[in-house]
Amino acid sequence: MGASSEGADAIKEIKRILEILLENYNKFFNNDERLNSDGIRLYKRISYYLYLIDQKDIVNSYKKSFRNPTLENILDFARHFIKDVDNIIKISAFNEIYYDTVFKDVKLNDK
């Protein structure tokens, strides 16, 4: 029973890490849609939890995405754990546009 509990906890933790990465897209990805060093550091944590799950197809998907950490590969891996990945990206993009607008207004008021 302990192993299944660990597996369930591992899945929750992987999902949490992926949501953090995707919800903070502009913090963890470069302009060329690849993970930056902070993003890689966070994404690397997933490898520990994958050994608790022990599913070859998911592990292979992770390895592929880690070798080439583009947004597309990260999303392919994330779809194993998050059903609404596209909505997370839309929210992240909207937030980026919103914050850019707010900061532009603040800069104009400061001048």
Side-chain angles (χ1 to χ4, degrees):
M1 182 158 177
S4 64
S5 171
E6 288 177 354
D9 290 343
I11 290 172
K12 287 179 186 176
E13 189 60 23
I14 291 170
K15 183 177 178 181
R16 187 185 71 78
I17 292 169
L18 289 168
E19 287 174 345
I20 289 169
L21 278 172
L22 297 174
E23 287 172 357
N24 299 290
Y25 170 83
N26 53 337
K27 180 178 178 184
F28 294 113
F29 286 83
N30 293 328
N31 291 338
D32 61 349
E33 294 188 340
R34 297 178 62 82
L35 284 177
N36 62 22
S37 58
D38 291 333
I40 289 172
R41 201 172 305 121
L42 182 59
Y43 196 59
K44 199 175 208 178
R45 291 185 194 173
I46 291 174
S47 63
Y48 168 76
Y49 297 103
L50 285 177
Y51 288 106
L52 297 174
I53 295 172
D54 194 32
Q55 290 183 7
K56 278 193 169 192
D57 59 331
I58 294 176
V59 171
N60 289 337
S61 178
Y62 174 77
K63 286 180 180 179
K64 176 187 174 191
S65 65
F66 192 78
R67 280 191 297 262
N68 186 14
T70 62
L71 177 60
E72 182 178 349
N73 288 340
I74 303 295
L75 289 174
D76 287 342
F77 174 73
R79 284 189 175 90
H80 292 284
F81 300 95
I82 304 172
K83 302 300 178 207
D84 57 347
V85 167
D86 296 326
N87 287 336
I88 291 174
I89 292 298
K90 288 175 188 173
I91 290 167
S92 178
F94 176 77
N95 285 338
E96 184 176 344
I97 292 167
Y98 173 77
Y99 289 125
D100 284 349
T101 303
V102 169
F103 290 137
K104 284 180 186 173
D105 291 343
V106 169
K107 289 177 184 175
L108 290 174
N109 291 336
D110 288 342
K111 288 183 179 179

